Amino acid sequence: MSAVSDSILTAPKSRGPWATALNRLFRDRAAVAALIVFLLIVIVCLLAPAYAAWANTDPFTSSLDAIIKLNGQDVPVMEQSTEGLGLGYTPLGPTWQLGNYFLGADNQGRDVMARLLYGGLNSLFIAGMATVLTLFFATLLGLAAGFFGGITDMVISRFLDVLWAFPVYLLAISLSIVLIAQGLNLGIIVIESGSLWLPIFIIGIVYVPYVARPIRGQVLALRESEFVLAAIGLGVPSHRILFKDIFPNISTTLIVFVPIMMALNMITESALSFLSIGVQPPDASWGTIIQDGQNLLYTRPMVALAPGIAIVITVLALNVLGDGLRDALDPRAKIRIGRS
């Protein structure tokens, strides 16, 4: 008997589900690398004000007559064009010197590197907040539709079907065109036309059906599980069942959705800003910087290439991280990770 008790006492304690998921995530090298890349991008973008102050540049003010020191010589930021008739000006190309127009200038003589960092800060902020908005409304609608059923499920499902019927970009563009000039006034909620919260609201709303539907499906399955039926039979209040029993069981799905939705929202924001119906001047995002550089593709391609490359790297990192989170939070992923 003592030997049995001793073996029980010396047996290793089992890990909790979250610790197990983290262990699986950290064993996925691709996901860890993606997480590191994404965190580095966030940190670098957060340093945008410090970089602008160090470089002594204002990325939101035109500097057509600015002159900089380059290799001991005075060089104009806007150079006289040498093509054709020699009319007009060409922005300074990349100097590859940090703090001194590292990526060159745009058609307004502004430091592209400083604008890239500020634009990334806005793009990440919009994508992140739109993701929070999407998950918040999708969770509420999915929980209500799946748990209460009946007329509640029918009304919510038909509302989601209406949003689902529109292609994402068509709906986002339509809402942007309507709201970009007059803003949004919902009584207690007022968003000015030039506010960053306007694209956040638009992007956050258009993706709600894509998250609410799988949440509703999970809640419908949980609604028929034994522990939920037992709680209902014991007279436990509905709100307690929803937030104490059902919500913890769908939280892993919401976590997996975070990086995936951030990637989708970033692409959507960039598309809207490129079309001039997203982020409005004087603010900048990676989409607006690409728009600024579209007329300079043959002379100063780095103006458009730099934010484009930044979007590709960020979206790729978020997608790889999303795959890693899905595998880590899915018990069946143990086999896949173990064989990799």
Side-chain angles (χ1 to χ4, degrees), residues 2 86 128 165 175 202 210 220-221 227 233-234 240 248 271 286 294 310 315 322-323:
S2 59
L175 290 174
I202 294 170
Y210 296 86
L220 283 173
F227 70 95
L234 292 172
R240 182 176 178 82
W286 284 337
Q294 65 177 334
V315 170
D323 290 341

Side-chain angles (χ1 to χ4, degrees), residues 38 41-42 45 119-129 262 266 314:
F38 177 70
I41 292 173
V42 172
C45 290
L121 195 59
N122 286 336
S123 292
L124 290 169
F125 174 72
I126 293 172
M129 294 308 299
M262 275 200 70
M266 182 168 290
T314 306

Side-chain angles (χ1 to χ4, degrees), residues 88-113:
Y89 292 86
T90 302
L92 178 71
T95 65
W96 307 120
Q97 297 179 4
L98 276 176
N100 195 22
Y101 285 82
F102 181 77
L103 296 176
D106 63 6
N107 54 5
Q108 296 294 320
R110 298 169 296 194
D111 190 331
V112 175
M113 184 64 186

Side-chain angles (χ1 to χ4, degrees), residues 244-302:
K244 294 292 185 180
D245 297 323
I246 293 181
F247 180 76
N249 284 279
I250 65 171
S251 59
T252 55
T253 301
L254 295 176
I255 293 173
V256 173
F257 267 120
V258 170
I260 297 173
M261 292 309 304
M262 275 200 70
L264 286 173
N265 292 339
M266 182 168 290
I267 295 174
T268 305
E269 180 277 320
S270 298
L272 294 178
S273 296
F274 179 79
L275 296 173
S276 301
I277 50 177
V279 175
Q280 298 297 300
D283 291 315
S285 76
W286 284 337
T288 62
I289 300 173
I290 294 176
Q291 182 198 46
D292 294 338
Q294 65 177 334
N295 294 326
L296 301 171
L297 285 175
Y298 296 104
T299 56
R300 295 292 181 260
M302 191 54 65

